[in-house]
């Protein structure tokens, strides 16, 4: 029987017929060496975004490895070329994460615009009781209705995030390498712009590009200088797409109103300058952490592995 190594326990039903399933610890392995030892001899592995799948991983797993099934839509943790060279199939979990991540983009956007992360400790700590009833100009946030939303990266999650803006009657701009009909037709009627123009025009900016050599520090000091001082920037993509130090400096100077981040350059560490900022709302890379998304991710990983074991094309291969 083939062995499947899940680097962590997964929520929901992971079912692959006639296979032994080996399950790693809830928090993952403390070091790559321990992970490498765990995957040795497996025909399939299910990996987490923080786990690097490179030549050292593949050597440790062994020549019998057929498929790397990443428990994520993003696969910047995987050396896809190294897998291809060895004839190993790589799969990811598109669609499954879409709704959960788009919800998180909105959770951050609303929290940042309406200063929720600042307001909560104000109430909880007793500071409100001490301060007294708020005056009419305190805890003022940014209005959403009728504002302009820029979607950077017009894939599935970008689209689902844009669709949610309809409730606020927002105008949608998008940045993509080519035109995206689904963005330009109803109900979004969005307009494609280049990134610099979009950054300058938007009231809300939501980042959804994958991490590649081209998107590393796509949002850097120069681009942050283009945004309106009233703008809100959120990212549920990958930390290194934004230059975190430059973002912290811009937030500190008031070059933008607020930011909401679910992803960071050196997870689980956060740039120290961000930690003290009251206009930064932060969550611990948990965009897809809603139960339906996570259960679908599990099922998709199992379906991809089952297909490869049966000699069929995987459901969601990474090319
Ligand atoms: C993570 C993600 O997989 O899908 C992605 O690319 O980043 C998330 O869904 C999840 O948070 C586990 O790390």
């Amino acid at each position: 029987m083939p062995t499947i190594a899940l680097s962590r326990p997964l929520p929901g039903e992971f079912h692959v017929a006639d296979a032994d399933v080996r399950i790693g610890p809830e928090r993952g392995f403390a070091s790559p060496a321990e992970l490498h030892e765990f995957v040795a001899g497996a025909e399939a592995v299910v990996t987490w975004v923080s786990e690097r799948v490179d030549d050292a991983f593949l050597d440790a797993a062994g020549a019998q490895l057929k498929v790397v099934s990443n428990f994520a839509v993003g696969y910047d943790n995987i050396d896809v070329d190294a897998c291809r060279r060895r004839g190993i199939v790589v799969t990811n979990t598109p669609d499954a994460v879409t709704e959960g991540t788009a919800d998180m983009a909105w959770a951050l956007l609303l929290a940042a615009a309406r200063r929720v992360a600042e307001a909560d400790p104000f109430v909880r700590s007793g500071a409100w009781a001490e301060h007294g009833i708020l005056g009419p100009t305190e805890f003022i946030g940014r209005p959403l209705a009728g504002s302009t939303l820029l979607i950077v990266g017009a894939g599935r999650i970008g689209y689902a995030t844009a669709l949610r803006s309809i409730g606020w009657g927002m105008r949608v701009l998008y940045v993509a390498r080519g035109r995206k009909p689904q963005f330009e037709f109803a109900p979004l009627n969005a307009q494609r712009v280049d990134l610099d123009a979009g950054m300058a025009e938007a009231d809300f900016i939501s980042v959804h590009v994958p991490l590649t050599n081209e998107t590393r520090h796509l949002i850097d000091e120069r681009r942050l200088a283009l945004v309106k001082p009233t703008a809100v920037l959120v990212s549920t993509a990958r930390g290194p797409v934004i230059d975190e130090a430059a973002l912290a400096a811009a937030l500190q100077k008031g070059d933008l109103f607020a930011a909401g981040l679910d992803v960071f350059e050196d997870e689980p560490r956060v740039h120290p300058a961000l930690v003290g900022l009251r206009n930064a709302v932060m969550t611990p890379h948990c965009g897809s952490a809603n139960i339906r998304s996570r259960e679908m991710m599990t099922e998709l990983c199992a379906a991809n592995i089952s297909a490869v074991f049966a000699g069929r094309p995987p459901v969601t291969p990474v090319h």
Side-chain angles (χ1 to χ4, degrees):
M1 271 217 286
T3 298
I4 306 171
L6 310 187
S7 67
R8 294 159 192 254
L10 301 179
E13 283 267 311
F14 182 87
H15 179 71
V16 176
D18 302 324
D20 277 331
V21 179
R22 192 190 287 170
I23 304 177
E26 180 66 42
R27 297 260 182 98
F29 290 93
S31 67
E34 285 175 46
L35 173 66
H36 293 176
E37 199 178 314
F38 175 75
V39 298
E43 272 76 12
V45 293
V46 177
T47 47
W48 197 249
V49 290
S50 54
E51 293 158 359
R52 188 97 205 103
V53 178
D54 51 12
D55 276 313
F57 178 106
L58 299 172
D59 285 343
Q64 76 300 324
L65 182 65
K66 290 190 173 67
V67 48
V68 173
S69 180
N70 210 36
F71 190 77
V73 66
Y75 50 86
D76 46 284
N77 58 311
I78 297 179
D79 183 340
V80 178
D81 286 334
C83 292
R84 190 181 304 121
R85 279 196 300 273
R86 295 168 190 241
I88 296 167
V89 174
V90 179
T91 68
N92 65 345
T93 60
D95 297 320
V97 304
T98 301
E99 297 295 316
T101 310
D103 287 348
M104 183 55 97
W106 276 92
L108 291 170
L109 192 154
L110 285 164
R114 298 305 308 271
R115 303 170 59 174
V116 174
E118 196 185 330
D120 178 274
F122 181 71
V123 174
R124 207 182 278 276
S125 66
W128 186 32
E130 208 168 294
H131 173 94
I133 297 298
L134 293 188
T137 57
E138 292 179 285
F139 276 96
I140 297 282
R142 299 301 314 158
L144 276 80
S147 62
T148 296
L149 170 67
L150 174 71
I151 300 288
V152 182
R156 298 175 182 83
I157 301 171
Y159 184 76
T161 302
L163 216 46
R164 283 157 170 71
S165 73
I166 291 172
W168 283 274
M170 291 165 96
R171 174 173 162 248
V172 179
L173 307 176
Y174 75 96
V175 174
R177 276 179 303 197
R179 285 181 78 176
K180 299 279 180 172
Q182 77 273 31
F183 272 77
E184 297 195 21
F185 291 134
L188 291 182
N189 304 310
Q191 185 191 342
R192 183 165 165 239
V193 289
D194 79 40
L195 182 55
D196 287 4
M199 297 281 294
E201 203 174 339
D203 301 303
F204 297 92
I205 301 162
S206 190
V207 180
H208 301 285
V209 287
L211 176 62
T212 63
N213 288 337
E214 292 79 58
T215 63
R216 192 173 293 276
H217 283 194
L218 182 71
I219 304 210
D220 56 5
E221 189 181 352
R222 183 187 71 77
R223 290 210 162 101
L224 286 165
L226 301 173
V227 303
K228 296 180 187 173
T230 50
V232 169
L233 170 70
V234 303
S235 180
T236 49
R238 285 292 181 268
V241 174
I242 298 179
D243 179 340
E244 226 165 81
L247 176 62
L251 286 165
Q252 205 149 25
K253 281 190 285 170
D255 287 349
L256 70 165
F257 181 76
L261 301 172
D262 185 49
V263 288
F264 301 87
E265 285 198 63
D266 184 26
E267 295 175 5
R269 282 162 291 275
V270 173
H271 195 288
L274 283 174
V275 177
L277 292 175
R278 59 182 178 79
N279 53 352
V281 181
M282 296 178 279
T283 49
H285 196 157
C286 54
S288 66
N290 91 27
I291 190 62
R292 200 183 300 161
S293 284
R294 286 283 162 92
E295 287 178 355
M296 286 169 119
M297 292 164 79
T298 299
E299 284 171 30
L300 197 47
C301 287
N304 276 312
I305 293 170
S306 298
V308 173
F309 281 1
R312 295 192 311 269
V315 191
T316 50
V318 164
H319 295 294

